[in-house]
Amino acid sequence: MVRRKAGVVGWPVKHSLSPLIHKTWAEREGRAIGYDAIPVEPTDEAFRAAIARLAADGLKGVNVT
């Protein structure tokens, strides 16, 4: 089974409950999904670089906080 990857990006993001919520849902539904909190500093340059890097790493999507 292919594991899809997604996440939430922001600064700060360590406090986000999104990874717990999404991982709980994925386990309950039997889905192979990884969902991580990804710290990205709040600058245009950092955000653009992070999105490019995450897309290259195969992430299917992110939420922004």
Side-chain angles (χ1 to χ4, degrees):
M1 182 180 304
V2 175
R3 183 172 187 246
R4 291 183 173 210
K5 299 185 293 183
V8 58
V9 297
W11 191 268
V13 73
K14 186 169 70 170
H15 68 283
S16 176
L17 294 178
S18 290
L20 174 64
I21 292 166
H22 286 83
K23 287 176 183 177
T24 299
W25 168 83
E27 287 175 8
R28 187 187 75 200
E29 298 298 318
R31 306 285 182 146
I33 297 172
Y35 191 96
D36 298 314
I38 305 160
V40 176
E41 292 185 19
T43 67
D44 185 60
E45 181 180 323
F47 182 76
R48 289 175 185 272
I51 294 303
R53 183 182 71 249
L54 296 171
D57 287 345
L59 264 76
K60 297 300 180 187
V62 295
N63 294 318
V64 179
T65 186

